[in-house]
Amino acid sequence: MVTFNRIVSRYYNDYYSPLGTHPQKRPSGRVLFAGGLVALSLLLNLVFVVKYCLRFTSPLDDYQELKQYPLVNTTLARASLPPMSKSKLSENAIVTTLYSDSYAPAVAALGHSLRKVDTSARLIMLYIPSQVSAGALCLAASSGFVPRPVARIAPPHNGSGIAPRFVDQYTKLALWTLDAAPDPVRALVYVDADALVLRNFDELFALPYAFAAVPDVYTDARGFTTNFNAGVMFVRPDSALFADMLAALPAARFPHVMAEQAFLNQFFATDALRLPYAYNGNLALKERNPRVWSGIQREMRIIHYTLIKPFVSKQWDTVPLDRLQHRVDEAARSKGGMFRDEMQHWGRVWQETRTVYAQHLDECRRLSS
Ligand SMILES: *[C@@H]1O[C@H](CO)[C@@H](O)[C@H](O)[C@H]1NC(C)=O
Ligand SMILES: *[C@@H]1O[C@H](CO)[C@@H](O)[C@H](O)[C@H]1NC(C)=O
């Protein structure tokens, strides 16, 4: 509507101002043309208004907390998981990635949050050796993630159109190769480093599907979507599928700006199992509809710091460890304090990480200096 109003005012200035100065003249073709445009834009504005009034309101936009049942029947879930073996390495893994030093404290905090919920899965961190310093790798691994080097996967189409902060993100596709490792992974839950775990989610490892993720949400007109967010994904690694993905990349039609997330949405379009929001507590959910946020709070497994990241600067740069608490306080104040609780939670988990793994972190500091 704004666009059409602009068009109207532009044509008004161009074509109507001569009318007042030459009232005796008959309307010229130009004036008739301009009048037609005004009428057309009024009509289109009307169509937009009617469409806006008649738009579909999803149960998420109009959320009411009506339910009382638990999200997962843990008795049933445990029965469908193989018994944990102390002698054998688990074939289930929780995997994150480290592409630059700036996310190292985030990975350490995520690892600590996973330890606290006592997961039965292994913790693996994929990292790009040429882009991560020894000190940052040590810090990220301090709370339990086992580093595993991977080759960077370059964006397709020579990186044309991709958002600069996503240029390394195609490396995430290496998740699908973990079945071919000497210690093969059969099922994994990928968790972005800008997340913290609040509750155990081992029930996901029993899923019989190849791929599952949580629907995405936007704070703009798109709102709740059927597209999924690639920050939390259930994946059954499969090297053959990985080869298929790479082969499909050049021909796949998707917005390049959103990198691997847009590609994966295109690739798994009909097949992705949509998981409950509790598995990817994306901060955008709270901004979009705070009632949805409070509705999933009790069951939330993973909180995902999408809109504000309390561990990197506003320009996405590394924050020195002795400035992290200051950054958390700043993040807690942004957007009018909308995410104060969530930012303070990250700050508390980070402080715990520093305390629990103090000795290990001292060694990391020696590596960095
Ligand atoms: C979980 O499932 C089992 C087996 O069907 C059932 O007996 C039990 O009542 C369920 N528990 C809950 C909390 O629904
Ligand atoms: C990518 O860039 C290289 C070198 O600039 C060029 O030779 C090649 O054709 C480009 N490929 C595509 C798919 O644009």
Side-chain angles (χ1 to χ4, degrees), residues 172 216 218 228-231 258-266:
K172 209 188 261 187
D216 215 346
Y218 297 90
F228 56 80
N229 180 283
M258 290 305 288
E260 96 297 349
Q261 172 168 294
F263 168 68
L264 290 172
N265 267 285
Q266 188 73 356

Side-chain angles (χ1 to χ4, degrees), residues 46-112:
L46 193 68
V47 170
F48 281 129
V49 168
V50 169
K51 274 198 140 173
Y52 186 78
C53 294
L54 296 180
R55 81 190 191 287
F56 175 72
T57 307
S58 79
L60 290 158
D61 287 306
D62 187 27
Y63 183 75
Q64 299 171 279
E65 202 177 342
L66 303 171
K67 61 182 161 57
Q68 273 304 324
Y69 61 89
L71 189 63
V72 172
N73 181 326
T74 40
T75 318
L76 275 179
R78 281 204 199 100
S80 47
L81 277 170
M84 245 176 95
S85 157
K86 287 263 178 272
S87 56
K88 201 162 146 270
L89 205 54
S90 172
E91 294 189 329
N92 298 333
I94 295 166
V95 187
T96 194
T97 48
L98 183 67
Y99 302 142
S100 76
D101 285 8
S102 57
Y103 271 58
V107 173
L110 172 63
H112 176 57

Side-chain angles (χ1 to χ4, degrees), residues 187-338:
L188 66 85
V189 176
Y190 168 80
V191 183
D192 263 352
D194 59 348
L196 286 179
V197 171
L198 306 175
R199 288 177 182 78
N200 186 299
F201 51 80
D202 284 357
E203 66 273 7
L204 291 184
F205 293 110
L207 289 175
Y209 294 93
F211 184 85
V214 177
D216 215 346
V217 59
Y218 297 90
T219 54
D220 61 21
R222 287 169 292 179
F224 296 101
T225 70
T226 53
N227 276 17
F228 56 80
N229 180 283
V232 177
M233 306 186 288
F234 170 79
V235 169
R236 289 208 171 267
D238 178 350
S239 295
L241 187 61
F242 173 71
D244 288 350
M245 282 173 150
L246 292 192
L249 259 178
R253 284 190 303 272
F254 61 95
H256 294 175
V257 65
M258 290 305 288
E260 96 297 349
Q261 172 168 294
F263 168 68
L264 290 172
N265 267 285
Q266 188 73 356
F267 192 85
F268 290 109
T270 55
D271 303 345
L273 172 73
R274 266 72 182 179
L275 294 173
Y277 289 101
Y279 291 97
N280 187 346
N282 178 345
L283 293 188
L285 273 173
K286 185 175 187 181
E287 184 163 333
R288 179 69 191 184
N289 189 347
R291 280 173 295 139
V292 168
W293 188 258
S294 71
I296 63 170
Q297 200 106 82
R298 209 158 21 93
E299 294 278 14
M300 199 184 287
R301 268 79 168 145
I302 299 171
I303 178 168
H304 186 186
Y305 291 83
T306 49
L307 302 182
I308 304 174
K309 303 190 194 299
F311 49 86
V312 285
S313 76
K314 282 187 215 158
Q315 296 74 36
W316 305 80
D317 293 325
T318 304
V319 177
L321 298 193
D322 56 5
R323 298 282 297 163
L324 264 179
Q325 188 54 48
H326 179 266
R327 171 60 191 137
V328 168
D329 295 340
E330 181 190 54
R333 285 190 304 270
S334 54
K335 286 192 185 268
M338 188 194 296

